[in-house]
């Protein structure tokens, strides 16, 4: 392996603040929105459908803009990172691996992630690229920035439909991480185990994969 590409939400960053801030903005209990996110996830729907259940007819981009204008928009800081992120990314780079962060996030999220000065060669988001997972276009872009063939690139993520399956179809090696709602829900799924090259519990396990 020569390049490791990381999903963002629930792979590098906890989604607690993200969903908590949406619940506060919509005036609904955090537990309620969290439960709805779980419900739509179990149905195989996009997690944004949870917001539509709380407020039918919601214009999500308009509400996002309103939150930003009110000073209650996206926020990310060191506390949002999982504890294994910095040490693992740093170790991979020390081993000579190229490290890329690329997931379905906004332009603002990309700015916030880059401000954290992660030990990564590139941080990019779907909104910056103009294409999103699970599209083939997104993973073609992943391969472009990887700089090496698909067989030498590992995509690491928690969501089978957005990460593991489409990355595998694109010819990349894949690591499914069992954390966050999606990671745990599908962590023991036979299709995930058949499609993923590795199923891991922590990012630290990737250092043993490097160089294989």
């Amino acid at each position: 392996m020569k390049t490791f590409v990381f999903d963002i939400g629930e792979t590098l960053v906890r989604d607690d603040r993200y969903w908590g801030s949406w619940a506060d903005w919509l005036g609904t209990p955090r537990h309620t929105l969290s439960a709805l996110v779980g419900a739509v996830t179990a149905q195989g729907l996009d997690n944004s459908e949870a917001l539509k259940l709380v407020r039918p007819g919601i214009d999500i981009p308009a509400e996002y803009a309103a939150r930003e204008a009110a000073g209650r928009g996206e926020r990310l800081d060191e506390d949002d990172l999982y504890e294994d992120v910095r040490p693992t990314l740093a170790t991979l780079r020390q081993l000579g691996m190229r490290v890329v962060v690329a997931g379905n996030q906004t332009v603002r999220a990309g700015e916030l992630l880059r401000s954290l000065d992660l030990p990564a060669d590139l941080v990019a988001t779907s909104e910056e690229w103009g294409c999103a997972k699970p599209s083939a276009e997104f993973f073609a872009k992943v391969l472009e920035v990887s700089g090496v063939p698909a067989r030498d690139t590992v995509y690491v993520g928690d969501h089978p439909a957005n990460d593991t399956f489409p990355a595998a179809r694109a010819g990349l090696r894949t690591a499914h991480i069992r954390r966050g709602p999606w990671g745990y829900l599908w962590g023991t799924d036979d299709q995930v185990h058949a499609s993923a090259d590795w199923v891991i519990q922590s990012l630290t396990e990737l250092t043993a994969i490097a160089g294989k």
Side-chain angles (χ1 to χ4, degrees), residues 17-34 36-37 47-68 70 72-73:
R17 185 200 298 264
Y18 178 83
W19 291 111
S21 63
W22 266 114
D24 296 345
W25 178 257
L26 295 176
T28 193
R30 291 188 172 198
H31 174 70
T32 298
L33 183 56
S34 179
L36 290 173
V37 170
N47 51 27
S48 65
E49 293 298 316
L51 301 178
K52 298 175 184 177
L53 291 173
V54 172
R55 184 177 293 177
I58 186 174
D59 183 334
I60 295 175
E63 289 295 326
Y64 179 91
R67 285 182 55 193
E68 290 290 339
R72 295 174 61 184

